[in-house]
Amino acid sequence: MNDLLHGQKTGSTGPVECLGQTFHSEQARREHFTKLLAEKLKDPAFRKIEGFPQGTDEAILALSDPPYYTACPNPFVGDFISFLGKPYDPSVPYSKEPFAADVSEGKNDPIYNAHSYHTKVPHKAIMRYILHYTQPGDLVFDGFCGTGMTGVAAHLCGDRAVVQSLGYRVEANGEILAPDREDGRAVWKPFSRLGVRRAILNDLSPAAAFIAHNYNTPGDAGAFEAEANDILSQVEAECGWLYETKHTDGRTARINYTVWSDVYLCPECTSEVVFWDAAVDRSAAEVKDEFPCPHCSAKLSKRNMERAWVTSVDPDSQSTERQLKRVPVLINYTIGGKRFEKKPDDADRRLIEKIESTPVPYWVPTENVIDGKEIGRLRSIGVTRVHQIVPKRANWVLGAYLSKCKNPRLKLAVTATLLNLSWMYRWRANGKGGTTSGTYYICATPQENSAFNQIKAKIKDLSAVVGGSKNILTNQDSGSLSIPSNSIDYIFLDPPFGSNLMYSELSFLWEAWLKVKTENKLEAIENSSQGKDINDYRHLMTACFSEANRILKPGRWMTVEFSNTQATVWNAIQTALQEAGFVVANVSALDKKQGSFKAVTTTTAVKQDLVISAYKPNGGLEERFGRSGGSEDSVWDFVRTHLKYLPTVKIRNGDLEFVAERDPRIIFDRMIAWFVRHNFPVPMSSQEFQAGLVQRFVERDGMVFLPEQVSEYDKRRMQVAIAPQMEMFVSDERSAIDWLTDFLKRRPSTYQEIHTDFISQLGAGWKKHESKPELSELLENNFIQYDGTGDVPSQIHGYLSTNHKDLRGLEKNSPALVAKAKDRWYVPDPNKAQDLEKKREKALLKEFDHYRTFTGRRLKEFRLEALRAGFRAAWGNKDYQTIIDIAKKVPDEALQEDEKLLTLYDLALTRTEDGI
């Protein structure tokens, strides 16, 4: 395959090209760049780069394959971008709406399944985004790359068969077309071109970067498989006896797996209870929650028994260890091509005792297990050292295999099998054993698998994915990148989300075997063991998004995959994006069709991930904003620019959907965030903004469009029977007003008519600390009631004449119409609305003053609208200290869950710290 980075297959003896240089062989290329990397590692400043992994020079060099991949910050990334990238040119037109369709991709794919990871997005899902936003040769960046699926996706955008498997059509000239509907008929519309994109991939975790490297840099799959199998054959000839047992006729057989059982103590008779013998009913394929003691018949469960422990000297660490007592209870083995099962006999037990008492004659990691929120559960069951996470036989085989690996890529077979070889592999009564992702859970009946079987199977799986892609990997903090500004064409991120997963802890087992570990000081998670709360998480994510904004070309897109149901985490991400300079344009769903440990067992876990589409405003908007100094013209300039980035239509299952980002209220919020980030006061009120929208732009079905966009929406609207409706959830005073506005626009009503529907909205979704307003107060402060004097307002007249036949055709002063219209509430026109808003704002600020004088430690109940109004006023007056002081009186949960308050508070802290 022709490639700018690499002209020959790995393993070839002919000349190879790399970053514009020619080498007489692959070995020469590797030696040249390894020498440069070795020199760089001697530079103390280089090792001070944020996120530099924990590892010796020797260990880092042993893993690295420069310039494609370094197990540390990659000093060759700049050369890669200079050689393959296209400098930012504002004169080159680029215009893309956000990818607004929901995506569903399964995980039953050899590439996806070759190596496990804590969480990852299927590469075929990422391909849809890359094809939408980029063209062949563009540079794609992923700062939380995990196993490198973004790089795989970028490469496969040049594979005709894979692109077609997504449901697209590829023309002979490389043009890619997507299915659509036009005038009620199916059509194909061009949207991209066939061709490889280049990826720069980064992860804080050395394990992740190592795995991603093997998916994303050139390699000879055949040579990988042959060499790995040759090493495994040598190890099997030397260590095969570890997994031997005797068949019933005395012949030697090979063990497939051994099931072990924890041993407990009966609380009544203190006798040892082997959990397997007492609780497992194989005939019924179940593990009983309750069972009788085999010695005294007492009623037992795991909850009311103590574990049995043993203390001994560990021959590998030479330390005295106290560990859970565990005994072998079942052996599954193969002889003559057939599988059999047996209970361990005396010979099996003697073999196990021999193995356990003999030091492994190869290097295996015996260091202490790190402290951590998730990994800490191991200490409670006596697992204090790394090698204790894996059975002795597996340690022996893995150590022997690694000792013979000259090519670092062959170590991939170790990381790929470690979890299945660990004590975390669960035997299940239904025969579907496995590990549980996202945790270090070890069950009472773990299954010890044959290391030979596992490695052999993985070598075959891995050989299908090694090589192919030609991307570059770096290993550092995403908040401090060695990438030139305005050099990246598109960014896809699947970052950590709050406390969902403890990535550095979960990768620790892999990294201990690789001898290079995560420096977790700047790991963007919530983790009490690391002393990080939601504020730390938000600040770390802001740093990462700020770097993403810096390296992304103006006017280009970033996609952020989000998986967390907590409002605090959602707001942390939204706030971080805005503070970094991005503007959110769309949120869609991504169904990855698999649940992790949290998603399976936690009732609040999301079943679908959300995908945030955010753009970096083009340079023209920034320049114009700087010149106009935050004037009213700047408001409308922002709105015009923002509307260009929003999806014109969203279709789901043939139905037209409401585009939430085109809602005037959300556009207003985006505009405020833009002004606040640039440290300018907002030059108009909400009602003035709404009135200006009506004058300057086109409204359809509650959404705002540019004049040149609305024709496309109208065309689609004519093809459906029902207009799209925005889903409204009432959770606080602001959303209650929004609900009333929508209700009264459709149906001007009396207090009694509104009351029943309104009360039904004030359910369990109401925010904990938000005081519930009276309906009469909300109506009085935000709407107008027709008192029967003068003509019936047009809004009420239109509603009544449409819904009451006897009132049609009547004049607005008709007594019958006036009688029916009297006491109805309606939405005021913009001029009157501005007067109402000023009145309401005055009342809110008066209430905010009460919060200033509050002397208690925390406000137990308050109006969010009053806090928002007060924070806005204080911001406009550059009174940052008031925002900080009041924020301390607000419960953390309430502050973290409100995007508007959180943004102003966070920026007030920044301004105060910077002395502005």
Side-chain angles (χ1 to χ4, degrees):
M1 184 182 294
N2 182 38
D3 188 83
L4 288 171
L5 253 187
H6 193 78
Q8 300 281 123
K9 280 188 174 181
T10 300
S12 66
T13 56
V16 294
E17 288 189 11
C18 183
L19 297 181
Q21 300 181 59
T22 302
F23 301 91
H24 63 79
S25 69
E26 265 296 299
Q27 184 64 25
R29 182 272 305 170
R30 190 177 293 112
E31 289 175 356
H32 170 78
F33 285 104
T34 300
K35 183 179 179 182
L36 293 177
L37 179 60
E39 292 172 359
K40 195 73 175 172
L41 287 169
K42 292 183 176 71
D43 180 0
F46 181 59
R47 276 190 165 271
K48 289 180 181 178
I49 292 175
E50 296 289 10
F52 199 102
Q54 300 172 6
T56 64
D57 288 6
E58 181 184 16
I60 289 171
L61 291 170
L63 271 188
S64 301
D65 183 18
Y68 307 117
Y69 157 66
T70 59
C72 63
N74 193 327
F76 308 107
V77 168
D79 296 331
F80 179 94
I81 293 173
S82 297
F83 190 66
L84 291 172
K86 298 184 288 284
Y88 171 60
D89 183 352
S91 66
V92 175
Y94 177 87
S95 178
K96 284 284 185 181
E97 287 190 1
F99 186 90
D102 293 343
V103 173
S104 179
E105 288 290 346
K107 299 181 176 182
N108 188 24
D109 185 282
I111 293 176
Y112 187 93
N113 293 321
H115 199 298
S116 64
Y117 195 65
H118 323 306
T119 178
K120 51 184 171 179
V121 180
H123 63 279
K124 287 188 176 180
I126 304 173
M127 283 179 69
R128 296 179 185 275
Y129 299 105
I130 294 177
L131 287 169
H132 177 80
Y133 290 116
T134 68
Q135 291 297 319
D138 279 356
L139 294 183
V140 176
F141 174 74
D142 186 345
F144 302 91
C145 72
T147 56
M149 292 298 104
T150 297
V152 172
H155 181 75
L156 290 177
C157 286
D159 189 309
R160 180 182 296 268
V162 178
V163 172
Q164 289 175 332
S165 75
L166 301 177
Y168 300 136
R169 200 168 84 190
V170 183
E171 302 287 48
N173 65 357
E175 191 172 48
I176 302 175
L177 298 87
D180 201 351
R181 295 197 70 80
E182 198 170 85
D183 299 327
R185 59 189 179 85
V187 295
W188 290 89
K189 290 189 174 181
F191 75 99
S192 190
R193 296 197 67 81
L194 188 70
V196 170
R197 281 72 166 165
R198 306 292 179 181
I200 297 101
L201 306 174
N202 174 63
D203 204 283
L204 188 68
S205 163
F210 173 72
I211 298 165
H213 149 62
N214 284 280
Y215 276 103
N216 282 280
T217 48
D220 188 325
F224 172 90
E225 185 172 13
E227 190 175 354
N229 278 324
D230 180 59
I231 292 173
L232 187 61
S233 295
Q234 295 176 43
V235 175
E236 198 161 6
E238 179 185 330
C239 307
W241 61 274
L242 295 169
Y243 292 97
E244 286 182 354
T245 189
K246 295 294 184 182
H247 189 42
T248 52
D249 60 5
R251 286 183 294 162
T252 299
R254 185 57 60 87
I255 294 173
N256 298 312
Y257 63 82
T258 302
V259 180
W260 293 70
S261 174
D262 285 357
V263 179
Y264 292 83
L265 297 176
C266 173
E268 298 296 329
C269 68
T270 70
S271 297
E272 289 190 348
V273 178
V274 178
F275 183 76
W276 174 274
D277 295 338
V280 175
D281 184 347
R282 297 197 70 197
S283 61
E286 67 172 354
V287 178
K288 298 175 182 176
D289 291 329
E290 295 184 339
F291 42 87
C293 172
H295 307 287
C296 69
S297 301
K299 190 176 182 181
L300 302 177
S301 70
K302 281 199 287 186
R303 289 183 296 276
N304 69 3
M305 293 189 295
E306 295 288 336
R307 294 177 181 271
W309 295 79
V310 292
T311 301
S312 61
V313 175
D314 185 322
D316 296 307
S317 65
Q318 292 299 307
S319 60
T320 300
E321 303 287 347
R322 180 175 181 264
Q323 293 187 286
L324 289 181
K325 186 172 183 179
R326 189 179 284 139
V327 295
V329 292
L330 178 73
I331 294 176
N332 180 289
Y333 63 94
T334 295
I335 189 168
K338 293 184 179 179
R339 283 189 172 231
F340 297 89
E341 289 184 351
K342 60 180 280 193
K343 286 187 176 181
D345 53 31
D346 289 341
D348 296 314
R349 283 186 281 272
R350 284 195 298 273
L351 176 62
I352 290 170
E353 288 171 7
K354 175 184 175 182
I355 294 168
E356 292 295 330
S357 62
T358 306
V360 174
Y362 304 99
W363 176 87
V364 294
T366 59
E367 64 205 83
N368 288 327
V369 170
I370 59 172
D371 293 326
K373 184 177 179 180
E374 175 55 42
I375 202 170
R377 68 165 69 225
L378 292 175
R379 294 183 180 276
S380 68
I381 57 173
V383 177
T384 60
R385 295 180 180 271
V386 178
H387 68 294
Q388 295 168 351
I389 304 173
V390 179
K392 183 68 168 278
R393 287 186 276 212
N395 275 320
W396 199 311
V397 172
L398 291 173
Y401 176 89
L402 275 181
S403 71
K404 302 178 190 301
C405 289
K406 306 303 180 197
N407 180 351
R409 299 188 78 149
L410 298 173
K411 297 177 183 180
L412 190 66
V414 173
T415 58
T417 55
L418 261 173
L419 296 183
N420 282 356
L421 290 178
S422 74
W423 287 117
M424 292 181 284
Y425 195 98
R426 301 174 64 184
W427 174 88
R428 287 189 174 95
N430 60 10
K432 298 179 180 179
T435 60
T436 305
S437 64
T439 177
Y440 274 97
Y441 173 68
I442 298 177
C443 73
T445 55
Q447 178 174 310
E448 177 197 3
N449 292 314
S450 163
F452 296 116
N453 292 354
Q454 290 290 319
I455 295 174
K456 188 173 293 184
K458 273 301 173 188
I459 288 172
K460 187 173 181 63
D461 293 343
L462 294 169
S463 65
V465 301
V466 166
S469 305
K470 281 90 174 177
N471 299 312
I472 195 164
L473 276 295
T474 183
N475 189 178
Q476 62 189 105
D477 171 38
S478 274
S480 181
L481 298 167
S482 305
I483 295 176
S485 300
N486 302 330
S487 62
I488 301 297
D489 297 292
Y490 170 65
I491 296 175
F492 183 93
L493 297 181
D494 180 15
F497 287 99
S499 59
N500 268 21
L501 291 168
M502 306 295 108
Y503 285 88
S504 61
E505 294 179 28
L506 295 172
S507 294
F508 178 72
L509 177 60
W510 288 327
E511 294 175 356
W513 280 88
L514 294 174
K515 300 184 181 181
V516 185
K517 303 179 189 70
T518 300
E519 172 51 68
N520 65 16
K521 183 180 72 172
L522 295 177
E523 183 180 17
I525 57 173
E526 282 183 81
N527 186 320
S528 54
S529 296
Q530 295 180 18
K532 294 172 184 170
D533 60 16
I534 187 67
N535 290 309
D536 298 303
Y537 168 73
R538 187 177 69 255
H539 293 147
L540 289 166
M541 285 308 307
T542 300
C544 294
F545 287 150
S546 295
E547 274 293 82
N549 187 274
R550 179 184 67 78
I551 66 176
L552 186 65
K553 291 177 180 177
R556 298 301 185 106
W557 289 90
M558 177 172 74
T559 300
V560 180
E561 195 249 349
F562 177 88
S563 180
N564 190 300
T565 55
Q566 296 180 27
T568 55
V569 179
W570 173 252
N571 281 320
I573 289 293
Q574 294 264 66
T575 303
L577 283 168
Q578 291 175 2
E579 289 184 26
F582 285 102
V583 182
V584 174
N586 188 66
V587 179
S588 297
L590 171 63
D591 183 2
K592 295 193 291 189
K593 294 185 177 178
Q594 179 177 314
S596 67
F597 176 71
K598 302 297 183 186
V600 170
T601 62
T602 307
T603 55
T604 58
V606 290
K607 300 303 179 186
Q608 286 186 320
D609 292 354
L610 298 178
V611 177
I612 305 167
S613 298
Y615 64 88
K616 175 180 178 177
N618 60 48
L621 176 63
E622 291 279 8
E623 291 170 10
R624 294 191 301 273
F625 192 88
R627 288 197 303 269
S628 61
S631 65
E632 287 193 16
D633 288 341
S634 295
V635 170
W636 305 121
D637 188 17
F638 170 81
V639 172
R640 273 189 295 271
T641 303
H642 183 55
L643 289 175
K644 290 177 184 176
Y645 283 93
L646 302 184
T648 305
V649 294
K650 288 178 74 172
I651 306 288
R652 181 186 293 184
N653 300 324
D655 295 327
L656 202 58
E657 282 202 327
F658 189 91
V659 180
E661 288 292 333
R662 289 190 178 275
D663 185 297
R665 292 160 292 197
I666 294 181
I667 296 172
F668 181 66
D669 289 343
R670 298 292 180 220
M671 182 273 294
I672 287 180
W674 175 258
F675 270 73
V676 166
R677 179 183 172 270
H678 288 79
N679 204 28
F680 278 100
V682 179
M684 63 181 66
S685 69
S686 172
Q687 291 299 336
E688 289 169 336
F689 179 81
Q690 305 301 334
L693 277 182
V694 173
Q695 294 168 7
R696 292 170 173 82
F697 305 100
V698 184
E699 186 274 338
R700 291 287 190 277
D701 298 324
M703 297 176 283
V704 179
F705 295 88
L706 293 170
E708 60 266 29
Q709 294 173 326
V710 77
S711 59
E712 182 184 349
Y713 178 80
D714 287 343
K715 191 175 181 181
R716 296 297 185 111
R717 176 67 183 85
M718 290 172 63
Q719 297 171 17
V720 297
I722 303 173
Q725 299 290 324
M726 183 178 185
E727 294 184 18
M728 189 73 70
F729 299 99
V730 177
S731 59
D732 57 14
E733 182 177 344
R734 178 70 261 167
S735 55
I737 294 169
D738 291 342
W739 183 89
L740 285 169
T741 301
D742 284 355
F743 183 93
L744 293 175
K745 275 183 178 178
R746 288 182 280 109
R747 196 173 80 192
S749 304
T750 64
Y751 175 90
Q752 290 77 11
E753 291 170 338
I754 301 167
H755 187 264
T756 302
D757 283 340
F758 179 73
I759 292 301
S760 69
Q761 297 293 320
L762 305 183
W766 192 262
K767 291 180 179 176
K768 179 180 177 182
H769 301 283
E770 171 83 337
S771 57
K772 287 187 178 180
E774 292 294 333
L775 174 60
S776 57
E777 183 182 348
L778 289 176
L779 291 171
E780 186 70 34
N781 290 334
N782 298 280
F783 304 97
I784 296 178
Q785 187 181 38
Y786 175 58
D787 60 4
T789 318
D791 289 350
V792 173
S794 298
Q795 194 181 132
I796 301 177
H797 176 261
Y799 168 72
L800 292 176
S801 61
T802 300
N803 291 276
H804 297 270
K805 291 182 179 179
D806 57 325
L807 299 178
R808 290 175 185 169
L810 298 179
E811 295 294 328
K812 289 184 178 180
N813 58 1
S814 165
L817 188 65
V818 169
K820 193 72 174 178
K822 190 173 182 297
D823 294 331
R824 290 182 183 271
W825 292 91
Y826 65 98
V827 178
D829 65 46
N831 292 328
K832 291 181 180 177
Q834 288 177 37
D835 293 336
L836 278 174
E837 186 182 27
K838 289 174 184 175
K839 172 185 170 185
R840 181 170 177 273
E841 188 84 359
K842 187 176 180 181
L844 290 172
L845 291 175
K846 185 176 181 181
E847 181 144 353
F848 183 76
D849 285 337
H850 292 318
Y851 302 155
R852 286 177 189 259
T853 58
F854 175 75
T855 56
R857 197 172 72 86
R858 294 275 187 179
L859 293 164
K860 290 185 178 179
E861 195 172 79
F862 43 81
R863 292 173 68 186
L864 277 174
E865 281 297 279
L867 286 174
R868 290 167 181 164
F871 275 32
R872 284 195 302 269
W875 177 268
N877 295 327
K878 296 188 177 182
D879 182 5
Y880 307 128
Q881 195 58 48
T882 289
I883 296 175
I884 295 169
D885 292 342
I886 299 296
K888 291 177 181 176
K889 300 178 183 181
V890 178
D892 287 339
E893 181 184 0
L895 183 65
Q896 298 293 344
E897 290 186 359
D898 191 89
E899 179 188 336
K900 300 177 181 68
L901 294 180
L902 187 60
T903 298
L904 289 168
Y905 169 65
D906 219 33
L907 289 171
L909 281 175
T910 303
R911 297 289 188 272
T912 304
E913 291 166 359
D914 293 344
I916 297 175

